[in-house]
Amino acid sequence: MQFTSIVLAVATTLAASSSAAVLPRDGARLAQFRVYGAAGCSDLNYGFYTVDQSDDKTCKTFANVPTDIKSLNLEALYSPAANGCSFYIYTSEDCTTGRRAIPVQSCQELPADATEWGSWQIYCATGAGVAAA
């Protein structure tokens, strides 16, 4: 009986400390997109990225992806937080080359002269959907 009480106390302590390590989102959730290592947005699904308010107007690369990104699908822009926001992908890793605006639920394949999608960015007009910084 005493052993059971000790085990329950330890389990409760571990559960409480592990939930404390969960990090909250950094602002409102604006969008979600999925990346693929093959053309056509179906094969070599490398998972999804979430886009939060803190990502607004910041160039981001495709971190922790095992190979080049060959296609991408913007799965959602969340209203009202993303009202007035546009999502872009680039063929360079610094958001300077090959810019393409992405509509929701459309597979975006590489241009013929590119080898990979290298970066992404969300741009929200000041006062649109999210609070101005």
Side-chain angles (χ1 to χ4, degrees):
M1 178 87 168
Q2 188 176 14
F3 176 74
T4 304
S5 297
I6 292 171
V7 169
L8 287 174
V10 170
T12 301
T13 302
L14 289 175
S17 64
S18 67
S19 65
V22 174
L23 299 174
R25 272 189 257 172
D26 196 4
R29 175 70 38 88
L30 301 178
Q32 177 174 307
F33 65 94
R34 189 168 299 271
V35 296
Y36 302 86
C41 295
S42 61
D43 292 331
L44 301 177
N45 178 350
Y46 293 137
F48 67 91
Y49 286 70
T50 57
V51 182
D52 295 329
Q53 183 177 358
S54 62
D55 296 320
D56 184 25
K57 299 175 185 71
T58 304
C59 182
K60 302 283 187 168
T61 61
F62 296 104
N64 303 317
V65 176
T67 190
D68 296 342
I69 304 299
K70 302 296 184 187
S71 59
L72 180 147
N73 180 35
L74 177 61
E75 295 178 331
L77 279 174
Y78 298 112
S79 182
N83 291 353
C85 298
S86 298
F87 184 78
Y88 302 97
I89 54 177
Y90 301 82
T91 55
S92 64
E93 291 185 355
D94 60 359
C95 297
T96 59
T97 307
R99 177 175 159 161
R100 184 182 293 178
I102 307 299
V104 175
Q105 292 299 336
S106 67
C107 180
Q108 299 297 311
E109 296 191 16
L110 284 169
D113 62 343
T115 58
E116 68 175 326
W117 290 115
S119 56
W120 61 271
Q121 185 176 45
I122 193 161
Y123 181 87
C124 299
T126 302
V130 297

